[in-house]
Amino acid sequence: MSAKHDAGMAVRRRVLGEAHVDRAEAAKTPLDAPFQEMITEGAWGTVWASDAISLRERSMLTLALLAATGNFEEIPMHIRATARTGASARDVAEAFQHVAVYAGVPKANHALKIAKSVFAEMEAEESR
C-alpha cells in the first residue's frame, strides 16, 4: 500500500473509530475495493490527513457540505465522528445555520433533525 493509503487509514480510524472501519473493511468486495482505495487515499490520506486545519474544523465543514448538497445518508456517520474530532453539538448547529443561509432552510432543517436523533442515540449509548 502507498503512504497516502497508510496515512488515510490512520486518519479514518482516528475519526470514524476502529469498529466502523473494521466493519467497512470486512464488507469490502472486489466490486468496491478500487473505490475504497480511492477514498482512503484521496479523502482520508490527502484531505483529512492535511494539518492545514483541525479535525474539528474538517468535521464541521464536512457536515455543512453534506447537508448543503443533500447527502443526508452520510450525516449520521459524521455526527458520530464528532466524538473523536472535537466538534461539539453547538459547532454542528452553527455549521447547519450556515447551510440554512447559504443553501436553504429545508436542507438545514433536515440535517438538524438527523443530528438531534444521532446525538440522542450517542447520549443513550454513553449512559448504558
Side-chain angles (χ1 to χ4, degrees):
M1 291 290 148
S2 72
K4 288 273 187 193
H5 179 274
D6 293 345
M9 191 58 75
V11 173
R12 189 175 169 205
R13 287 183 179 284
R14 181 174 173 199
V15 171
L16 300 178
E18 294 287 338
H20 175 88
V21 176
D22 288 347
R23 283 190 306 274
E25 286 294 297
K28 191 165 52 175
T29 68
L31 178 65
D32 68 339
F35 175 78
Q36 292 295 324
E37 294 303 313
M38 186 265 305
I39 63 170
T40 298
E41 291 183 5
W44 295 104
T46 301
V47 175
W48 278 85
S50 169
D51 63 358
I53 62 175
S54 70
L55 291 179
R56 175 183 165 266
E57 292 164 319
R58 282 189 201 288
S59 195
M60 293 166 62
L61 283 168
T62 299
L63 284 162
L65 286 164
L66 289 170
T69 57
N71 290 298
F72 301 111
E73 67 281 351
E74 294 277 320
I75 289 176
M77 175 180 69
H78 282 281
I79 291 292
R80 288 190 172 280
T82 63
R84 288 173 293 282
T85 65
S88 68
R90 182 174 179 193
D91 291 335
V92 172
E94 290 292 327
F96 291 156
Q97 295 256 7
H98 279 293
V99 171
V101 170
Y102 293 102
V105 170
K107 287 179 178 175
N109 189 44
H110 188 60
L112 278 166
K113 179 181 176 184
I114 294 167
K116 285 169 59 174
S117 174
V118 175
F119 279 128
E121 288 172 10
M122 291 168 65
E123 193 173 301
E125 290 165 3
E126 283 181 12
S127 64
R128 287 186 205 159

